[in-house]
Amino acid sequence: MARVRYGARTEAEIGAARTASSRLPDIWSTGVVAVWESDPDAVAAVLPPPLKPTGRPLVRVNISKVDLPGYPLGAGSFAVAAAHDGVEGWYPLVMPMTHERALIGGREVFGEPKKLGEVTVERDGLVVRAALARHGIEFVEVRGAVSGALPLPEPTRKTDFYFKFLPAVDGSGFDADPVLVHCVRNEKVRRLERITGDVVLRESMYDPVADLPVRELVGITLGEKTTDQKGRVVERVSGQALLPYIHQRYDDPQQILDGPPEGSV
């Protein structure tokens, strides 16, 4: 009988897949990073407990094109500065991806708030433009011009915070208490340039980042970097405390409370 492709994989096949994923070469991306100070009350308002604000109400947007062979990827992240248990890092509110593969892995493994979207990174001479868009709305745009090279930083370690959870089958909350994930990224940079420009935030009911305005621009850079990442669950958190923030993950949070229509497939 011909192989049934939805059938069980062998242990050897599963082991080979694990080995292949653990031996990936460095994957380099070209991207724009903008950091600014925003309204401290607004930054505090988007942080689910037990995350807390840091001493500075920073917001960071990262907009990149990733050089995957035969599979170019656009990837973005809009995050606010946060702290947990003595660790400072970033709490992403939305992470647009241009391909489903990147979206599924991040959401199901780490709890990343990834959504399908459009990512633009363009350079014409010294002029640079980068943007994130969903549902036809370009809700973040970074624009400017290269104003000089920057010294390469030493390899650095950065932490992102995610909440991993499954909505309850009966629409009452969660199937089990959510977990807080610390995702640690080791970053290497091989090229870095300063951008003189600005950040534009546009109104979107789906991605309301305009609520975190640019009060003072810290800086914009264009760089080439590679990162690896490892996540770990640091604690279980109160589902009741997280539930008021669940709309951050969905364009229509009602869809996880209604359940599928009766008789649907």
Side-chain angles (χ1 to χ4, degrees):
M1 182 180 71
R3 178 170 186 177
V4 179
R5 285 168 290 178
Y6 271 129
R9 296 289 177 92
T10 66
E11 290 186 11
E13 288 172 322
I14 295 171
R18 287 200 187 104
T19 300
S21 64
S22 67
R23 294 179 179 174
L24 289 175
D26 286 346
I27 298 173
W28 293 88
S29 65
T30 300
V32 170
V33 177
V35 178
W36 63 91
E37 283 196 9
S38 190
D39 183 292
D41 292 335
V43 171
V46 303
L47 294 174
L51 299 183
K52 296 180 179 179
T54 63
R56 198 175 179 192
L58 295 178
V59 179
R60 181 194 69 186
V61 63
N62 190 332
I63 308 172
S64 300
K65 289 288 190 179
V66 187
D67 297 328
L68 298 176
Y71 194 78
L73 170 69
S77 174
F78 188 102
V80 298
H84 174 253
D85 198 22
V87 177
E88 292 197 358
W90 298 92
Y91 174 61
L93 295 171
V94 60
M95 300 176 69
M97 299 285 134
T98 57
H99 292 301
E100 185 180 30
R101 182 177 180 182
L103 183 152
I104 291 175
R107 284 177 70 103
E108 295 188 3
V109 177
F110 294 99
E112 295 172 327
K114 290 185 173 180
K115 301 177 180 179
L116 285 175
E118 299 171 20
V119 178
T120 301
V121 180
E122 301 171 331
R123 178 171 182 171
D124 183 5
L126 296 179
V127 177
V128 174
R129 178 179 177 274
L132 299 176
R134 298 181 62 249
H135 299 290
I137 302 170
E138 199 170 77
F139 59 92
V140 180
E141 181 184 17
V142 182
R143 56 198 184 187
V146 175
S147 55
L150 290 170
L152 296 183
E154 294 294 320
T156 57
R157 176 172 293 184
K158 300 179 179 180
T159 301
D160 279 356
F161 305 115
Y162 305 122
F163 292 94
K164 183 176 179 180
F165 57 80
L166 285 175
V169 173
D170 62 5
S172 62
F174 303 102
D175 276 334
D177 283 339
V179 296
L180 175 59
V181 175
H182 284 199
C183 185
V184 177
R185 290 183 169 84
N186 295 298
E187 179 180 287
K188 295 185 293 184
V189 179
R190 67 182 181 186
R191 182 174 181 174
L192 192 64
E193 295 172 293
R194 180 187 298 107
I195 302 294
T196 300
D198 59 4
V199 177
V200 179
L201 305 178
R202 297 187 178 91
E203 178 58 35
S204 169
M205 64 178 291
Y206 305 104
D207 304 288
V209 300
D211 293 346
L212 295 154
V214 181
R215 291 284 176 84
E216 181 179 347
L217 186 62
V218 176
I220 306 173
T221 59
L222 173 68
E224 296 178 7
K225 66 182 180 182
T226 184
T227 61
D228 60 35
Q229 67 180 48
K230 291 185 178 180
R232 66 184 182 93
V233 172
V234 293
E235 67 175 87
R236 288 202 172 270
V237 301
S238 164
Q240 184 176 4
L242 183 61
L243 194 60
Y245 299 87
I246 196 173
H247 63 283
Q248 295 176 347
R249 191 68 56 90
Y250 303 97
D251 290 342
D252 179 9
Q254 191 64 36
Q255 69 189 29
I256 66 166
L257 303 177
D258 290 342
E262 188 173 342
S264 65
V265 177

